[in-house]
Amino acid sequence: MLTGRFNFRCYAAVIALILGVFSGVGCSSDIAVGSGRLGEGAPDPGSEGSTDPRNQSQNTGNAIKFAGALEPGIISAHDQGGLVFNFETVLVAIDEVMIRLPKDVSCDDLETGTTATQYCHRNAVYLSGTVVADLVNGSQISNFPLPRGRYHRAKAHIGPASWNDIPHDSPVRDLTVYGAGTFEVGGELKQFKLRQRIGKSVGFFTRTGIELASGENLVLLMNVDRWLKDLNIAPCLADGRLTPEDGVIVLGTGCGTATLLKNAIKQSTDIAVEADGKIFPL
């Protein structure tokens, strides 16, 4: 996990001493700045370097969303052997999101103040605080007013800041990614679950960028239909390397599925735009 730690508060304390207004901030080489999981050197919200701008000229006033497909509803994913897994539920715990602003836009162009959970620093928007994104139906994670422009890069930390942030009865509790649905093998319909604990940052990147206009939402896509492409489930079922738990096949805990799934999930990302209720990829 990327920590993004540095001595900002230490420097602030030294400066404050010189000015004769030392506020008791201690110097330490291991002070976390912001939640710092994305390694971008973001300051604590409200500290020097994070802006409180009021310029409305660039504002779209729209949402930032996560989704697992271009359309809401059951998501079908094929494994290497051709089995089709129909995901009825996909939940992902997300702790922090960073979105790099377009090249011709700075933090001073945004119309929003800094808060404990959303702020802008060094031309990037930071959203912190644990949310559980529903990838099957799509989840709005923030109404932070992103400006118009061409977006190339974003990053998200998969995993909660604390397990206490997730309800005890949530299926993603003690995990970072949870999925469930059905698949058919040998003419028999079976249930499956997907369980993963990633705990790392994943990148969303497009070299050419994608244009965000007024009235549109920025969507961070985790394409669930790509998650099983490197798995071959049928042989694992046939030789007993994957055995049912209470009649349910669990992916991510045997037959080499954990590493393959983790890599596929991290490589499944795209940036898209939602306009008029429809998601358009690059």
Side-chain angles (χ1 to χ4, degrees):
M1 183 184 306
L2 301 177
T3 58
R5 298 169 182 268
F6 64 93
N7 275 340
F8 181 85
R9 293 184 180 176
C10 178
Y11 300 149
V14 173
I15 293 171
L17 269 174
I18 294 172
L19 296 176
V21 289
F22 178 64
S23 61
V25 180
C27 295
S28 169
S29 62
D30 195 35
I31 295 175
V33 181
S35 55
R37 294 175 181 268
L38 298 183
E40 296 290 334
D44 285 322
S47 68
E48 183 180 357
S50 58
T51 63
D52 186 12
R54 291 288 182 264
N55 186 341
Q56 300 185 30
S57 62
Q58 292 275 358
N59 232 356
T60 63
N62 294 313
I64 301 166
K65 304 181 73 173
F66 269 85
L70 298 182
E71 297 181 356
I74 293 174
I75 303 173
S76 296
H78 295 71
D79 79 346
Q80 200 175 69
L83 290 181
V84 180
F85 293 76
N86 295 309
F87 285 85
E88 300 167 6
T89 301
V90 183
L91 302 175
V92 179
I94 299 163
D95 168 42
E96 188 174 57
V97 175
M98 181 278 290
I99 299 172
R100 181 69 60 189
L101 291 174
K103 292 181 179 179
D104 57 347
V105 179
S106 72
C107 289
D108 292 332
D109 295 319
L110 302 186
E111 185 255 338
T112 184
T114 60
T115 70
T117 58
Q118 55 187 33
Y119 49 98
C120 186
H121 176 66
R122 294 181 181 173
N123 296 340
V125 170
Y126 291 84
L127 310 172
S128 62
T130 300
V131 296
V132 176
D134 177 353
L135 297 190
V136 169
N137 297 302
S139 287
Q140 176 177 325
I141 61 167
S142 175
N143 59 356
F144 193 98
L146 289 175
R148 299 185 300 272
R150 184 167 292 273
Y151 287 80
H152 291 80
R153 187 184 301 275
K155 192 181 292 186
H157 181 266
I158 307 300
S162 167
W163 295 115
N164 293 328
D165 295 337
I166 298 178
H168 286 275
D169 59 351
S170 172
V172 81
R173 172 82 180 187
D174 296 326
L175 299 170
T176 54
V177 181
Y178 172 85
T182 60
F183 72 105
E184 186 174 323
V185 59
E188 183 180 356
L189 190 66
K190 295 181 179 290
Q191 292 183 315
F192 76 91
K193 291 182 180 179
L194 182 151
R195 297 173 181 165
Q196 273 290 288
R197 192 167 185 172
I198 296 178
K200 291 184 178 295
S201 297
V202 297
F204 300 77
F205 174 75
T206 166
R207 187 174 301 277
T208 59
I210 190 164
E211 194 73 25
L212 182 70
S214 294
E216 298 178 343
N217 300 324
L218 191 71
V219 181
L220 302 183
L221 269 177
M222 300 184 70
N223 295 282
V224 176
D225 62 350
R226 304 178 191 172
W227 287 8
L228 307 183
K229 61 183 179 62
D230 296 324
L231 277 63
N232 195 358
I233 303 301
C236 295
L237 295 173
D239 61 19
R241 285 178 292 164
L242 275 181
T243 57
E245 296 180 9
D246 298 324
V248 179
I249 300 299
V250 178
L251 306 179
T253 58
C255 199
T257 60
T259 300
L260 292 174
L261 268 175
K262 184 177 296 185
N263 291 337
I265 290 171
K266 291 168 63 177
Q267 295 167 10
S268 71
T269 58
D270 281 318
I271 299 178
V273 163
E274 183 183 55
D276 299 323
K278 296 182 179 180
I279 297 176
F280 298 92
L282 178 67

